[in-house]
Amino acid sequence: MTTGRRVPARRWGRRLLFSVRGRATLITVAVSALILALALVLMLLLARDWAENRVGRLTERTAERIAFDLSRGRNPGIIDVRPDEAQMVQVVTPQGKVVAASDAVRGRPALATADLARGELLIDQRVCPRFPKGCVWAFGLRIRTSPWGPDVMVIAADPLPGLLNVWLLPLALFGLLVALLSLIAWWTWHTIGQAFVPVDIIRSEMADLDARGLDHRVPVPQAGGGIQSLAERVNATLDRLEEAVTRERRFVSDASHDLRNPITGLQTRLEVALGEPDDADWKPMVRGALRDTRRLNDIVADLLELSRLDARTPKPVEPVDLAALVRREVGLRAGDAPITTRLEPGVVVRANPVRLSRVLGNLLGNAERHAESRIEVTVARDGGDAVLEVLDDGSGVPEEARERVFERFARLSESRARDPQGTGLGLPIAREIAEIYGGSLRIADSPAGARFVLRLPLITGDGPPR
């Protein structure tokens, strides 16, 4: 039984100490306890001062009235007090003898005395005589003439409120403090628990993600604030994850299809070559096998480059003059469409030259496949950017398909017709490289053909690129 009781206690201890809900409740209760304790102590002091001042005014008013009556010769032997006045009144001689008193203290010793030799003419203090039980507030004043001789003192006293003489008021305030802290603790625990209900729902939904599938989304609370933002961010992450998994599956399917064709062709040609007689002309078959081998090499190179880009594999960077890069790359092309250039000198970016050459080569290869009669390459500055444009005079890319061509393995019908052997990886690779170096690649409007615009941060004379 003892072990069974310890387990819930341990569990609650962990919830209080290690959960956000428990720590927030403990901190709130601790801060509230400090503030409330200070406030209640201040209230206790103010209540005590108010009670003492009230009793002090009552005794002062009573003593002044009795002294005035005695100085006029009224009621020399009887001390009458009114119901709204202090009930304990004494007339005390300089020697400390009580010569007159009210009914409440008749026959009792002096409540307080004053030393005339020290010049004490007034008493206004808290005193605790042997009677009555508890302390009283005494106010006394000395009168020069009286029926009992000169310099007698009229003393009026009244008990202080019982709550201030014992521990009842502090205990009551302590009980109030405990009640308020209990209420604050419950309210904090309940409120934070309610605030974390959507988080618990999101957590349970994410825990069941394997069973539900990546197309499942967590509920989004409409209360606003950080919880709604968290749910929206989780759903956005699930969107990207589902898209990545879908793209990976499509990648495997398309890559398998693209690899199967040249491998099948290569295998067939090699089998035919082996089945031919020794004097057969085998060169055409070997040339076909070589083309298939080159296509396989291109596909594998694109896949390897994509894997490096996805892993953000670093490559050394250096300043690259775009004009010089364009001149070198254009000099290596031997396509049917002539290439004209408009190159602004001194347009330098920081990147890996091999990767930039691949970007330009992919853009020029795409332009050569679709151009009718010409290709134009432009390099210029635009503010803090270096801009490289490749423009052809082909049929162009429809506006609704301009982002689709940058998806991996995505190919438009015209592209498939012009280049059946293509893989659809050139433009996605080019955009990935541009984004790695802080730039962008997009298709802009043009009067005719397709206009690809590459932007990269420009190196200025003041320092590295922005």
Side-chain angles (χ1 to χ4, degrees):
M1 295 296 293
T2 305
T3 305
R5 292 175 181 174
R6 287 178 181 174
V7 172
R10 257 192 246 111
R11 186 182 299 116
W12 273 101
R14 285 195 298 269
R15 292 187 70 182
L16 284 175
L17 295 178
F18 299 109
S19 68
V20 175
R21 188 181 185 183
R23 289 198 299 269
T25 302
L26 289 177
I27 293 173
T28 303
V29 169
V31 174
S32 301
L34 178 61
I35 296 174
L36 288 176
L38 292 175
L40 293 180
V41 168
L42 181 61
M43 288 174 57
L44 182 62
L45 295 176
L46 291 176
R48 187 193 65 182
D49 291 342
W50 174 83
E52 289 182 353
N53 291 334
R54 178 176 174 277
V55 174
R57 288 193 298 270
L58 179 65
T59 56
E60 180 181 355
R61 186 169 62 249
T62 303
E64 288 177 347
R65 186 186 68 80
I66 298 298
F68 180 77
D69 289 344
L70 292 177
S71 65
R72 293 295 183 91
R74 300 174 185 171
N75 300 327
I78 302 174
I79 304 297
D80 291 328
V81 293
R82 300 170 184 172
D84 60 341
E85 294 180 335
Q87 299 300 305
M88 293 182 286
V89 180
Q90 293 177 334
V91 180
V92 184
T93 64
Q95 292 76 27
K97 180 182 178 181
V98 178
V99 293
S102 63
D103 292 339
V105 289
R106 186 169 289 122
R108 298 291 186 176
L111 293 169
T113 59
D115 190 349
L116 187 61
R118 292 205 308 263
E120 293 183 4
L121 302 177
L122 185 69
I123 294 176
D124 190 14
Q125 63 188 13
R126 177 188 180 130
V127 295
C128 298
R130 296 179 180 178
F131 76 95
K133 293 182 179 180
C135 297
V136 297
W137 192 270
F139 182 87
L141 54 85
R142 195 175 296 278
I143 57 177
R144 292 186 177 275
T145 60
S146 71
W148 303 277
D151 296 327
V152 297
M153 178 167 282
V154 178
I155 300 175
D158 205 53
L160 292 170
L163 289 176
L164 299 177
N165 294 335
V166 293
W167 289 99
L168 186 57
L169 181 58
L171 286 176
L173 292 179
F174 179 76
L176 178 61
L177 174 64
V178 172
L180 289 175
L181 289 180
S182 301
L183 180 62
I184 290 172
W186 174 84
W187 181 84
T188 305
W189 181 268
H190 177 73
T191 303
I192 295 179
Q194 290 298 111
F196 275 95
V197 166
V199 177
D200 293 336
I201 295 175
I202 293 173
R203 182 179 59 189
S204 62
E205 296 285 340
M206 293 297 293
D208 295 339
L209 194 62
D210 291 339
R212 297 174 182 269
L214 290 177
D215 57 342
H216 182 69
R217 297 294 178 266
V218 302
V220 179
Q222 300 302 319
I227 304 298
Q228 180 177 349
S229 177
L230 172 64
E232 293 173 349
R233 184 63 59 87
V234 168
N235 285 338
T237 302
L238 290 176
D239 288 338
R240 291 195 296 271
L241 182 60
E242 183 183 11
E243 180 183 355
V245 171
T246 303
R247 188 169 59 183
E248 181 181 358
R249 290 172 181 169
R250 188 170 65 242
F251 164 76
V252 172
S253 175
D254 293 343
S256 301
H257 180 270
D258 287 338
L259 288 172
R260 187 182 298 114
N261 289 338
I263 289 175
T264 302
L266 179 60
Q267 180 179 354
T268 302
R269 288 185 175 88
L270 292 176
E271 289 174 350
V272 171
L274 289 175
E276 291 292 332
D278 295 339
D279 58 348
D281 188 3
W282 48 267
K283 285 189 176 181
M285 286 181 289
V286 173
R287 291 192 186 96
L290 181 60
R291 285 195 301 271
D292 290 339
T293 304
R294 287 173 177 168
R295 185 183 173 200
L296 280 173
N297 182 69
D298 291 341
I299 294 174
V300 171
D302 286 343
L303 294 177
L304 287 176
E305 184 65 21
L306 277 178
S307 67
R308 294 191 189 100
L309 294 175
D310 287 340
R312 290 297 188 261
T313 303
K315 281 197 172 185
V317 296
E318 60 185 67
V320 179
D321 189 324
L322 289 185
L325 179 70
V326 170
R327 282 192 290 267
R328 182 171 62 251
E329 189 65 28
V330 169
L332 299 176
R333 315 298 294 190
D336 296 334
I339 302 175
T340 60
T341 59
R342 290 188 294 114
L343 310 177
E344 182 177 343
V347 180
V348 182
V349 298
R350 189 175 297 277
N352 181 266
V354 176
R355 282 184 168 174
L356 279 192
S357 297
R358 187 181 185 90
V359 172
L360 183 57
N362 289 349
L363 294 179
L364 290 175
N366 180 78
E368 288 174 346
R369 285 191 296 271
H370 297 86
E372 297 293 340
S373 60
R374 64 182 180 85
I375 299 172
E376 183 178 352
V377 182
T378 304
V379 172
R381 290 184 179 88
D382 184 13
D385 291 335
V387 181
L388 187 151
E389 296 184 6
V390 178
L391 174 66
D392 63 70
D393 60 349
S395 57
V397 181
E399 186 173 355
E400 65 274 8
R402 288 181 180 178
E403 285 300 315
R404 186 185 165 202
V405 299
F406 292 105
E407 298 178 2
R408 298 179 182 184
F409 298 105
R411 304 188 68 198
L412 303 183
S413 56
E414 182 184 353
S415 178
R416 291 183 181 274
R418 288 179 176 267
D419 184 18
Q421 306 299 322
T423 62
L425 293 176
L427 293 178
I429 289 175
R431 172 173 274 190
E432 290 272 357
I433 294 174
E435 292 176 350
I436 283 177
Y437 296 118
S440 63
L441 176 63
R442 63 184 184 89
I443 301 177
D445 295 332
S446 61
R451 178 186 171 203
F452 287 83
V453 180
L454 170 67
R455 285 181 173 271
L456 292 172
L458 184 66
I459 295 181
T460 63
D462 300 331
R466 60 178 175 84

